[in-house]
Amino acid sequence: MPAARDVSGAARPKRVTLRDVAARAGVSLSTASLVFSGRGPVAASTADRVRAAAEQLSYAGPDPLASSLRQGRAGTVAVVVEGRLGDAFADPFARSVMDGLAGELDAIPAGMLLLARVPGDDARLLGQLAVAACDGVVFPLSGPRTDPAVDLIVGRGIPIVGAGSPVDPRVPQIRVDERGASAAMTRHLTTLGHRNIGHVTMPLTPGAMTSVATAADVADAVYGDARGRALGVLDVAPAARVVQAASLEIAAGMTAARLLLDTAPDARPTAVVAQSDLLAAGVIRAAGELGIRVPEDLSVTGFDGLDLPWLDYDLTTVVQDGRAKGRALGELIARAMAGQSVSSQAFPTQLRVGTTTAVARP
Amino acid sequence: MPAARDVSGAARPKRVTLRDVAARAGVSLSTASLVFSGRGPVAASTADRVRAAAEQLSYAGPDPLASSLRQGRAGTVAVVVEGRLGDAFADPFARSVMDGLAGELDAIPAGMLLLARVPGDDARLLGQLAVAACDGVVFPLSGPRTDPAVDLIVGRGIPIVGAGSPVDPRVPQIRVDERGASAAMTRHLTTLGHRNIGHVTMPLTPGAMTSVATAADVADAVYGDARGRALGVLDVAPAARVVQAASLEIAAGMTAARLLLDTAPDARPTAVVAQSDLLAAGVIRAAGELGIRVPEDLSVTGFDGLDLPWLDYDLTTVVQDGRAKGRALGELIARAMAGQSVSSQAFPTQLRVGTTTAVARP
DNA sequence: CACACTAGTCGAAACGATTCGACTCGAAAC
DNA sequence: GTTTCGAGTCGAATCGTTTCGACTAGTGTG
């Protein structure tokens, strides 16, 4: 057979395979395989000969694809993040979850295939999942409550785990009691005497714009954690005015906050529950620009428990350990991939009172 | 053959393959393959029969591993980030590069296999690269100037591209003139009359601690872009005092800045060149805490051109379009994977003067 | 009516490894 | 002296596709 030629016309030498190495070392293909996998008993002298042959032929080790096919495992876990990559990782909490998850995947060991659900192009994610070589799929971040990808992945016989979404009996979860934690936070504020409470939600639906949200909007929310947290607020403060932020960024929190705060002082909420720390930072910033003092005139709360050194406050927030959450997800998918049956687990949060909440002014 | 049984003892039905589908549809294996790949002429009626059979057997499409093996392409590109995942994405500029890169990989199309160079565990990355199924490797972020991984990857016959690192004739680059841009920035300051200039570098070596760096430290730096930027400063201001930050975070910039600023006012630099916008933000913050006014008492410059809405200044900085850089990297690896010969390209930057630099006080 | 051509289909040969069972051979056990 | 055993090695089957070349039947051309 002549050497293969690629489009550019350059001669491409035939690839060296384990067969070539075995031939050169004067052993059988199977023995050579045993040397590289270290799985069987091989005489030291034989092993050396094989390795020497590999060296001479500059054989770089067994082809991952062939190896994977034979072994029936891709050695890879698909991880789906919500939104474009640059946005998905803008949230420090998301980063800490991913960090913990990455550590566990390393330990399996498994590679991490990163897939993004680009807003407005759901088909792309489905297509990628259909052809992706992976042994498991993780949804580590808040995503849509229902997801057609689940059918597809289950159809391929691959285990899935999530962090609250997609909601499906076939998807074991590391589950945070968003609603309960959010209700507890709101109760903290009512206990301080706040009666007029505003709420800034994360986006309730993909492509959300900054807007006032009705109870129906909340109930119909696509994103499960935003929905849960909003419901928690409404459980305790049914009259709360709810504003949806357009993204998780500080600027979005500012914009949303203005909808609540830029009004007559006596109609203005005395407390704002934000669904994330970054949104809370935006609220505080917007308050500052409007001359509203925190916490004297306005109490502000967040969610996640981030370390925000540049914030001049110690934010009252709901602390969850993102890295631990990521690790828990990693352990869950590892067990599922090992064929063990796994079930959803509760993940703890803790209310931490800082300097951004105070008793309501009389 | 009896149904395979896994460790847990649960019966696992034999996997349905294209062969089963073909048999059920009453066509040959090759024809069935043609239906799914859409590569050959197939009668519409035949195609329908095959698809119907697939539906009935709940066949989810060709196995990616087998398909990849046969086609000789993994459909995946490995992307190496520096440091733990949570840290690597803490830098907004890194995120924008990754975002642009992800977009181009989608277009190839290719999956993105994310690998992290965890500090202190170089072996892990090597091991992962040795067994990872991928058609190309991208080093989109600043990494060590030399990297043993290059030999490994080249040995496997896989193309590599980078953004300035690793420095190796076999690695085409999207290259920024770090040194020139940094020198231009420093010249901006000397033109404003600054004579005593401080410099805050990104980590020069893995595991760096906050510390004063000598010219030799700079010359020996492991990380290429930190080295280039520092050399640029020293080109114009050879007497500049150089302090190395321990990370890319704001807090690290603050710590480093104190080493320069917490001193007698007449010995203190009148300008600080920081190697990134986030470090610059830390410098500004540290100055504020020390009662040093920016820009009246101290000019501060950054690098990258991030959008920092929470910073009360318009930072003087070197703007580079991270997303475009990521796209350029994606195009480069795409061409290399297509067998075309590719070569390094220059990537433009632009000096943008903001409100953090002013003429030196007399 | 012979001819070339195309659309449609198929069988068989890869792709590059892993793994199972069988075989050989010398050493230890009885 | 036979039997047993384990270490070491090997041949062959297998993983699930894609693709190449060959084949058939029908269609249009001369």
Side-chain angles (χ1 to χ4, degrees):
Chain A
M1 186 206 287
R5 286 178 175 272
D6 61 21
V7 188
S8 65
R12 188 175 40 188
K14 193 170 166 355
R15 186 170 180 189
V16 27
T17 74
L18 191 52
R19 166 168 279 111
D20 305 324
V21 174
R24 169 131 198 170
V27 300
S28 75
L29 182 54
S30 27
T31 300
S33 174
L34 258 23
V35 171
F36 283 98
S37 68
R39 240 176 281 262
V42 177
S45 60
T46 310
D48 287 344
R49 251 192 4 267
V50 171
R51 272 188 283 267
E55 179 85 16
Q56 289 165 22
L57 298 173
S58 64
Y59 174 73
D63 178 67
L65 285 172
S67 171
S68 288
L69 172 61
R70 183 59 239 252
Q71 296 184 107
R73 18 168 260 100
T76 289
V77 170
V79 176
V80 179
V81 301
E82 303 297 324
R84 310 184 48 145
L85 230 49
D87 302 332
F89 286 92
D91 180 18
F93 181 74
R95 291 205 295 273
S96 65
V97 173
M98 294 296 290
D99 199 45
L101 175 58
E104 284 304 311
L105 295 186
D106 275 355
I108 292 181
M112 177 165 158
L113 187 67
L114 204 58
L115 303 178
R117 187 197 311 275
V118 179
D121 194 356
D122 299 356
R124 176 185 302 193
L125 178 62
L126 281 176
Q128 291 178 325
L129 281 169
V131 303
C134 60
D135 306 319
V137 179
V138 181
F139 292 82
L141 307 175
S142 165
R145 285 191 293 150
T146 65
D147 192 333
V150 174
D151 283 332
L152 177 69
I153 305 163
V154 169
R156 282 186 53 195
I158 296 173
I160 321 178
V161 307
S165 71
V167 177
D168 188 300
R170 297 165 294 182
V171 182
Q173 310 276 356
I174 299 297
R175 192 177 284 149
V176 163
D177 179 14
E178 314 278 2
R179 187 168 184 165
S182 191
M185 177 60 90
T186 311
R187 211 169 292 116
H188 163 66
L189 292 170
T190 56
T191 305
L192 288 173
H194 294 278
R195 293 295 169 261
N196 186 350
I197 293 178
H199 184 42
V200 175
T201 75
M202 303 183 288
L204 297 169
T205 61
M209 307 293 286
T210 305
S211 57
V212 173
T214 65
D217 292 335
V218 169
D220 294 342
V222 170
Y223 293 124
D225 57 350
R227 179 173 180 269
R229 293 179 195 178
L231 288 174
V233 170
L234 295 175
D235 285 344
V236 176
R241 186 142 191 262
V242 180
V243 172
Q244 172 183 218
S247 80
L248 290 181
E249 287 171 66
I250 296 174
M254 292 179 64
T255 310
R258 287 195 201 101
L259 243 51
L260 290 170
L261 302 179
D262 197 0
T263 174
D266 48 353
R268 187 203 294 153
T270 63
V272 171
V273 176
Q275 285 197 349
S276 86
D277 289 352
L278 252 33
L279 291 178
V283 173
I284 291 173
R285 215 181 146 73
E289 290 188 354
L290 292 168
I292 302 169
R293 294 168 304 164
V294 174
E296 293 82 356
D297 304 330
L298 182 72
S299 288
V300 179
T301 71
F303 207 110
D304 289 341
L306 301 183
D307 181 30
L308 302 177
W310 41 266
L311 190 67
D312 293 322
Y313 297 88
D314 182 15
L315 189 64
T316 296
T317 188
V318 174
V319 181
Q320 49 178 336
D321 184 342
R323 198 168 282 177
K325 197 172 179 181
R327 280 196 299 266
L329 281 162
E331 288 169 14
L332 207 61
I333 193 69
R335 293 216 307 276
M337 280 164 34
Q340 301 170 28
S341 74
V342 298
S343 52
S344 296
Q345 296 171 19
F347 191 81
T349 61
Q350 198 185 349
L351 179 62
R352 185 173 68 198
V353 176
T355 60
T356 58
T357 48
V359 291
R361 52 169 203 267
Chain B
M1 188 206 291
R5 284 177 176 275
D6 60 20
V7 189
S8 66
R12 188 177 38 186
K14 192 171 165 355
R15 184 172 184 190
V16 28
T17 73
L18 192 52
R19 166 168 278 111
D20 305 323
V21 174
R24 169 128 198 174
V27 300
S28 76
L29 183 53
S30 26
T31 301
S33 174
L34 258 22
V35 171
F36 283 98
S37 67
R39 240 175 280 263
V42 177
S45 61
T46 310
D48 287 344
R49 260 204 341 278
V50 170
R51 273 189 282 265
E55 180 85 16
Q56 288 166 22
L57 298 173
S58 66
Y59 173 73
D63 178 63
L65 285 172
S67 171
S68 288
L69 172 61
R70 182 58 240 250
Q71 297 185 108
R73 19 168 259 99
T76 289
V77 169
V79 176
V80 179
V81 301
E82 304 296 324
R84 312 183 45 145
L85 231 49
D87 302 332
F89 286 92
D91 179 18
F93 182 74
R95 290 203 296 273
S96 65
V97 173
M98 295 296 292
D99 199 46
L101 176 58
E104 284 303 311
L105 295 186
D106 275 356
I108 291 182
M112 177 164 156
L113 186 67
L114 205 56
L115 303 179
R117 187 197 310 275
V118 179
D121 194 356
D122 299 355
R124 174 184 302 192
L125 178 63
L126 281 176
Q128 290 178 326
L129 280 170
V131 303
C134 60
D135 305 319
V137 180
V138 181
F139 291 83
L141 307 175
S142 167
R145 285 191 293 152
T146 65
D147 192 333
V150 174
D151 283 332
L152 177 70
I153 304 163
V154 169
R156 282 186 52 195
I158 296 172
I160 321 177
V161 306
S165 71
V167 178
D168 189 299
R170 296 165 296 181
V171 182
Q173 311 276 354
I174 300 297
R175 190 177 285 148
V176 163
D177 179 14
E178 314 278 0
R179 187 168 183 166
S182 192
M185 177 60 88
T186 311
R187 210 169 293 118
H188 163 65
L189 292 170
T190 56
T191 303
L192 288 173
H194 294 279
R195 293 294 169 260
N196 186 351
I197 293 178
H199 184 44
V200 175
T201 76
M202 302 183 287
L204 297 169
T205 61
M209 307 292 286
T210 305
S211 57
V212 173
T214 64
D217 292 335
V218 168
D220 294 343
V222 169
Y223 293 124
D225 56 351
R227 179 172 181 268
R229 293 179 196 179
L231 289 174
V233 170
L234 294 175
D235 284 344
V236 176
R241 186 142 191 261
V242 180
V243 171
Q244 171 182 221
S247 81
L248 290 180
E249 287 171 66
I250 297 173
M254 293 179 64
T255 310
R258 287 196 199 98
L259 242 52
L260 289 170
L261 302 179
D262 198 359
T263 173
D266 48 352
R268 187 203 295 153
T270 62
V272 171
V273 176
Q275 284 197 349
S276 85
D277 288 351
L278 252 34
L279 291 178
V283 173
I284 291 173
R285 216 182 146 74
E289 289 189 353
L290 291 168
I292 303 170
R293 294 168 304 164
V294 174
E296 293 83 356
D297 303 330
L298 182 73
S299 288
V300 179
T301 71
F303 207 110
D304 289 342
L306 303 182
D307 181 30
L308 302 178
W310 41 266
L311 190 68
D312 293 322
Y313 298 88
D314 182 15
L315 188 64
T316 296
T317 188
V318 174
V319 182
Q320 49 178 338
D321 183 342
R323 196 168 283 176
K325 197 172 179 180
R327 280 196 300 266
L329 281 162
E331 288 170 14
L332 207 60
I333 192 69
R335 292 217 308 277
M337 281 164 35
Q340 301 170 29
S341 74
V342 299
S343 52
S344 297
Q345 296 171 20
F347 191 80
T349 61
Q350 197 184 350
L351 179 61
R352 185 173 68 198
V353 177
T355 60
T356 59
T357 46
V359 290
R361 55 168 199 266

